[in-house]
Amino acid sequence: MGKKNVMWSLQMSGNEDRFPTPGHTVVPVVEKVPVRTKPPSLFNVVILNDDFTPMDFVVDVLQRFFSMDRGMATRVMLKIHTEGRGVCGVYPRDVAATKVERVAGYAREHQHPLQCVMEENGI
């Protein structure tokens, strides 16, 4: 559950269109106006299967960039291998984009065609 943010609104009592006359004062009125902030959109980071990237390299990527232990990384790698794709994590847009860039760079650096993409999470 997100926090409720509060915005303060300053309004003037009386007629703001005219200047106060002597003996008449303008009193500022401060009121709380609740502001609801929407949580950030989430994105799935997905690794796609290819016929060239070694399975051990995919397991290494999952451990290195997605903080998975070896058992979980192996299960996700097998899902990628058998189903053609596997979700590695769900993150806000900026974090997901950074993960995709880092995985792509690491794969290029090691001369593998591994593809990593981000997709909007439907939740």
Side-chain angles (χ1 to χ4, degrees):
M1 243 190 314
K3 273 202 260 186
K4 287 185 184 176
N5 291 328
V6 174
M7 180 173 74
W8 293 92
S9 173
L10 178 63
Q11 299 176 353
M12 303 302 276
S13 66
N15 188 348
E16 294 87 20
D17 294 336
R18 62 186 169 95
F19 293 103
T21 56
H24 179 263
T25 58
V26 176
V27 179
V29 176
V30 180
E31 66 177 353
K32 277 175 128 178
V33 179
V35 176
R36 295 192 184 258
T37 55
K38 185 175 120 181
S41 297
L42 296 177
F43 290 79
N44 296 334
V45 176
V46 179
I47 290 183
L48 305 177
N49 187 44
D50 64 66
D51 293 332
F52 304 102
T53 304
M55 292 179 179
D56 286 340
F57 183 78
V58 176
V59 170
D60 175 49
V61 165
L62 293 168
Q63 289 180 288
R64 183 179 302 264
F65 296 102
F66 301 98
S67 302
M68 294 184 192
D69 63 32
R70 186 146 186 90
M72 175 61 105
T74 301
R75 286 190 293 279
V76 173
M77 177 275 298
L78 289 172
K79 181 177 175 75
I80 294 166
H81 181 70
T82 58
E83 297 179 19
R85 61 196 330 260
V87 176
C88 307
V90 180
Y91 307 96
R93 179 189 300 269
D94 292 346
V95 176
T98 300
K99 296 265 186 197
V100 168
E101 287 177 30
R102 288 186 175 168
V103 168
Y106 187 70
R108 271 193 311 272
E109 187 179 302
H110 289 85
Q111 300 179 343
H112 294 298
L114 185 67
Q115 290 187 1
C116 185
V117 298
M118 61 187 254
E119 301 172 342
E120 193 160 9
N121 185 304
I123 297 176

